[in-house]
Amino acid sequence: MTRSIKDYIIIAMKGMGMGAADVVPGVSGGTIAFITGIYEELIESIKSVNLTSIKLLLQFKLKDFWKAVNGNFLLSLVIGIAISFLSLAKLIKNLLEQHPILIWSFFFGLIVASALVIAKKITEWKLRSIIAILVGIGIAYMVTVVTPAETTNAYWFLFLSGALAICALILPGISGAFILLLLGKYEFVLNALSSFKLDVIAVFAVGAAAGLLSFSNLLSWLLKKYHNMTIALLSGFMIGSLNKVWPWKQTVSTFIDRHGVEKALVEDNILPQTFENISGQDANLAIAIGLALIGFFLIIIMDKYSPESKK
């Protein structure tokens, strides 16, 4: 396919959206890829980085290698994702600390709409599709109630964390940032990005590359062989993940991190009025509902004008 400079700029902007989403625990970059119409091309492009294409690279057939892996597409996307990671990591971290209810409300609306958009792509509803969506909801919900761990900062664990978290880049509904949170590495990696700790970034990136290449092949096979069941499962993941992004929470237990700062360990979802009664703080209900609606309709509009919808 022949693309113009403008096309690649748009792809880079979609990459920025994916990167921004994956910085937040509970929001998936794969969701953005799906609704902007680049999901299956992304999967196939990553899958094409295999022994055959690597052989071309080792033979210095660079032009053939670049064409085989859809290099212009991947490079544009990676540039966009990198821009988001490096520029938005600190901003989103600060927003989550200072305005958690408002930020989570926006993403709650975004995820509800995304789940509907993805479910709409199921071409035929059968019992197995319904079972798949229920299984997805159950798995994602169970993941959200797992207690985050305090883990080692050793290079081997950073490599493993990168390999697991990157799967969310191409898996709608499961957030890479949330996986890092469960592994006890979210804040550590976010700080490394903010302060440009090159050793941490490099080890994490190598692990991410290994995980991405292996997982893309599995996902590509599932989408080809069991398309409706796979889409239903992914939609279920997103619905189940809503438990994580509910804006109003009550801290049940805390822990002291390595820097001596007390942080929430286990939280329960509560109603806005209960939140006000317990915390004495404003639940910001009207603004939260407004932001949730903005997030919801943003996804609906993006889907309406996406390349896949136009087809």
Side-chain angles (χ1 to χ4, degrees):
M1 132 184 2
T2 303
R3 285 186 165 123
S4 64
I5 297 296
K6 178 183 176 182
D7 293 330
Y8 288 117
I9 291 174
I10 292 173
I11 291 171
M13 292 175 66
K14 293 176 180 180
M16 290 177 67
M18 291 176 64
D22 264 312
V23 171
V24 180
V27 185
S28 168
T31 300
I32 305 300
F34 212 112
I35 63 178
T36 55
I38 61 172
Y39 189 73
E40 293 200 20
E41 183 177 3
L42 172 62
I43 299 298
E44 292 303 315
S45 298
I46 296 171
K47 180 188 172 186
S48 66
V49 183
N50 52 32
L51 292 176
T52 302
S53 59
I54 291 174
K55 184 179 179 181
L56 292 173
L57 180 62
L58 295 176
Q59 292 174 344
F60 295 99
K61 296 179 180 179
L62 301 183
K63 187 175 181 179
D64 292 336
F65 167 77
W66 196 250
K67 183 178 180 181
V69 301
N70 200 5
N72 289 340
F73 170 81
L74 286 178
L75 179 62
S76 300
L77 204 64
V78 168
I79 288 173
I81 292 171
I83 289 172
S84 271
F85 277 174
L86 297 176
S87 62
L88 295 179
K90 186 174 292 186
L91 172 63
I92 292 179
K93 179 184 176 184
N94 291 336
L95 287 174
L96 283 172
E97 289 176 352
Q98 297 173 18
H99 307 286
I101 291 176
L102 304 185
I103 301 304
W104 287 126
S105 296
F106 173 77
F107 285 113
F108 191 91
L110 186 148
I111 293 174
V112 169
S114 298
L116 294 175
V117 166
I118 292 179
K120 189 178 68 174
K121 301 182 187 298
I122 299 173
T123 57
E124 188 178 8
W125 283 94
K126 292 184 177 180
L127 179 60
R128 58 188 179 186
S129 296
I130 296 173
I131 292 174
I133 199 170
L134 292 175
V135 169
I137 292 172
I139 291 174
Y141 179 83
M142 291 303 296
V143 169
T144 65
V145 298
V146 173
T147 302
E150 187 80 358
T151 52
T152 177
N153 291 333
Y155 285 154
W156 70 267
F157 195 80
L158 287 174
F159 179 93
L160 179 62
S161 298
L164 293 174
I166 200 63
C167 294
L169 188 67
I170 53 175
L171 188 62
I174 298 295
S175 162
F178 183 56
I179 291 174
L180 286 179
L181 196 66
L182 295 178
L183 295 172
K185 284 289 156 283
Y186 177 66
E187 184 182 6
F188 183 78
V189 172
L190 207 59
N191 288 335
L193 288 170
S194 301
S195 55
F196 296 99
K197 293 182 178 178
L198 297 181
D199 59 329
V200 173
I201 295 173
V203 173
F204 185 83
V206 172
L212 195 60
L213 292 176
S214 57
F215 187 70
S216 62
N217 283 276
L218 172 62
L219 197 52
S220 174
W221 181 80
L222 288 172
L223 284 168
K224 288 178 180 177
K225 296 291 184 180
Y226 307 100
H227 181 270
N228 284 339
M229 285 182 63
T230 304
I231 297 299
L233 185 69
L234 298 179
S235 183
F237 283 158
M238 301 191 69
I239 297 170
S241 71
L242 288 172
N243 181 64
K244 169 63 183 174
V245 297
W246 178 255
W248 298 279
K249 298 181 181 295
Q250 176 186 9
T251 299
V252 176
S253 62
T254 61
F255 73 100
I256 306 297
D257 68 11
R258 292 184 175 88
H259 305 289
V261 179
E262 184 179 22
K263 295 192 174 181
L265 180 64
V266 178
E267 295 178 308
D268 284 344
N269 294 333
I270 56 178
L271 294 173
Q273 185 60 52
T274 305
F275 174 84
E276 290 187 346
N277 293 337
I278 292 175
S279 67
Q281 301 175 25
D282 189 350
N284 292 308
L285 183 59
I287 300 175
I289 292 174
L291 287 170
L293 290 174
I294 290 173
F296 182 90
F297 286 110
L298 177 64
I299 297 300
I300 298 300
I301 292 170
M302 288 175 67
D303 175 62
K304 182 178 180 181
Y305 294 101
S306 73
E308 286 192 0
S309 294
K310 288 181 180 179
K311 290 177 186 178

